[in-house]
Amino acid sequence: MNANTSRQHPAEWDQEAQLLSQTARDLPTGRHEFHKERLMAQIHEQIQREEREEREERTGATAAPGKTRRFRLPRPAITLPAMAAALSAVVVAGMVTLGGGEGVRESGVATGPALTTDLGTATTKGVPQLIDQISLAVAESDHPTVKPGQYIYIESVLADTFLKTVDDKTSLASHELHRRQIWNSPDGVKGWLIDPAVNDSPEGETLSLPDEQGNTPKAHLGSPSYDYLAKLTTDPDALLAKIYKETKGQGNSPDQQAFTTIGDLLGESYPPPELYSALFEAAARIPGVVVVDDAVDAAGRHGVAVARLDETSGQREEWIFDKKTHVYLGTRSVQVKQLKGEEALIKPGTVMFTMAIKNRAVVDGMKQTPSQAG
């Protein structure tokens, strides 16, 4: 991110906005949306830093040591050069402002308190045994095949914590826990999202393709459809090799990105049972995977977690399962290591992101819920 990039003419803003919209389609469905507010907070901080540097250049003043903070995106599922370029364009255009308010808001950044938790105990012991129990639970579960014309419905509750800067003052804020509903057709072409942290309307918004530019992107690991997942290999070694190959250069390390990619497939997607088991077995082969004895999902349910620490960000990504049934409950990212600079505000035990799956079903119509179908 180059803070000295020349500012754009307003006529160029629409082009950059289109680039951002198009690039967002390459993220797993919904992952871009629930990071939006944190991105906006970071963008606003960057604008203020540029203005501060310009003032210092005019006055000859020198920034105090430790005050310059590089622009860093919150942990997205996938790091994309085009996304960084689009965000850079939005930043230097200076289009973002922040307002007050509490909770989930239509156009501002939420100002709820930071989310915190106990870290639990992490160990490498018992990882293979837990993976085997999870795979067995998946094999024994009811997992209907999705037919053409049907939709995969996923209902969840989620919240996140982020750094927010207003008038040169940085603090931790969060989106309050809120409900999210998403529908996707098996081919990934049609979809609908209802998420008050994202949508301008309580009715939600379409995810159907083609997008505004007339593009219909092909499904891939970072943005999979049910049909795409159904064709993936179920051999754990071959599957893991494919994940490493297709995510090369993304994330903070190859191992962490592989773990994150598998984790994203557990959330807002619907892998067939054979692939579900293969994903867990592939995850067990990634160095650094541990078991956390007690983890709490966004709905307050306690469980056991398969997890991995990102050494760069200091965050531990946790996939949470019921301790008895080993059914997948949700995911969260917890800060484990103490950071420096302004990021020192993110203390160990801070929950950076948390999501709990409340319902996952196959329905016959867009915006239909299982209760309506029954």
Side-chain angles (χ1 to χ4, degrees):
M1 175 72 200
N2 184 358
N4 295 320
T5 305
S6 60
R7 296 187 183 273
Q8 293 180 307
H9 188 277
E12 298 176 82
W13 295 349
D14 287 341
Q15 296 176 3
E16 300 297 352
Q18 290 175 0
L19 174 60
L20 179 59
S21 175
Q22 180 177 350
T23 307
R25 287 289 183 181
D26 287 335
L27 291 169
T29 304
R31 292 294 286 190
H32 173 77
E33 285 84 357
F34 56 60
H35 285 292
K36 178 190 288 184
E37 299 294 353
R38 289 162 65 193
L39 286 170
M40 293 301 100
Q42 298 280 346
I43 288 169
H44 185 67
E45 190 276 339
Q46 176 68 11
I47 294 168
Q48 290 187 325
R49 185 166 71 86
E50 288 181 5
E51 294 173 345
R52 185 165 58 247
E53 290 173 350
E54 290 175 357
R55 290 196 302 269
E56 291 167 352
E57 288 180 2
R58 290 196 300 269
T59 61
T62 302
K67 289 295 184 180
T68 300
R69 176 171 171 269
R70 65 185 179 88
F71 180 78
R72 190 171 71 111
L73 299 182
R75 187 200 68 80
I78 294 178
T79 302
L80 298 169
M83 176 66 79
L87 285 172
S88 174
V90 176
V91 169
V92 298
M95 297 173 65
V96 181
T97 59
L98 297 181
E102 298 181 356
V104 176
R105 298 183 64 246
E106 179 176 301
S107 58
V109 172
T111 56
L115 310 173
T116 59
T117 187
D118 293 331
L119 289 177
T121 302
T123 178
T124 56
K125 295 181 180 179
V127 172
Q129 292 85 349
L130 179 58
I131 294 295
D132 288 344
Q133 291 170 329
I134 293 169
S135 298
L136 181 61
V138 171
E140 294 177 346
S141 64
D142 181 22
H143 202 99
T145 301
V146 188
K147 301 176 183 178
Q150 292 184 313
Y151 293 86
I152 299 160
Y153 169 75
I154 300 175
E155 177 186 347
S156 60
V157 290
L158 62 155
D160 63 352
T161 304
F162 52 91
L163 284 172
K164 171 189 173 185
T165 301
V166 177
D167 298 330
D168 292 335
K169 295 182 66 175
T170 301
S171 61
L172 279 182
S174 69
H175 282 123
E176 68 181 11
L177 189 70
H178 62 279
R179 183 189 190 199
R180 176 182 172 91
Q181 296 170 281
I182 191 167
W183 291 259
N184 277 302
S185 61
D187 59 9
V189 174
K190 296 181 180 180
W192 194 266
L193 172 69
I194 300 177
D195 186 336
V198 177
N199 306 139
D200 292 330
S201 166
E203 298 298 319
E205 63 186 68
T206 182
L207 298 175
S208 298
L209 301 172
D211 60 20
E212 294 84 350
Q213 289 76 44
N215 301 311
T216 304
K218 292 183 178 180
H220 54 86
L221 275 175
S223 182
S225 65
Y226 174 83
D227 291 347
Y228 172 85
L229 294 175
K231 296 176 182 178
L232 286 179
T233 178
T234 56
D235 176 86
D237 292 318
L239 181 60
L240 186 59
K242 177 181 178 64
I243 291 171
Y244 274 113
K245 180 180 179 180
E246 295 195 11
T247 62
K248 184 178 180 179
Q250 300 172 4
N252 289 329
S253 72
D255 291 335
Q256 187 62 36
Q257 186 57 41
F259 188 82
T260 295
T261 298
I262 294 174
D264 289 330
L265 295 178
L266 302 179
E268 287 190 341
S269 69
Y270 190 72
E274 297 81 5
L275 178 62
Y276 223 84
S277 297
L279 286 169
F280 289 118
E281 293 176 25
R285 290 162 166 76
I286 300 174
V289 173
V290 298
V291 172
V292 177
D293 64 339
D294 186 51
V296 185
D297 72 3
R301 300 174 296 192
H302 285 256
V304 61
V306 176
R308 190 180 192 282
L309 175 65
D310 185 334
E311 294 290 347
T312 301
S313 68
Q315 293 179 24
R316 187 172 68 201
E317 181 174 345
E318 302 175 349
W319 311 336
I320 306 171
F321 302 86
D322 184 276
K323 290 183 179 181
K324 293 183 179 180
T325 66
H326 298 101
V327 170
Y328 176 74
L329 301 179
T331 185
R332 70 178 184 178
S333 293
V334 180
Q335 192 69 39
V336 173
K337 290 187 174 182
Q338 180 64 55
L339 303 175
K340 298 180 179 180
E342 286 184 346
E343 291 182 338
L345 291 169
I346 307 174
K347 303 295 184 183
T350 301
V351 179
M352 301 306 297
F353 174 77
T354 180
M355 178 178 71
I357 299 296
K358 300 292 289 182
N359 202 340
R360 193 192 311 253
V362 177
V363 296
D364 293 327
M366 183 88 81
K367 294 189 276 187
Q368 183 186 72
T369 65
S371 60
Q372 292 170 334

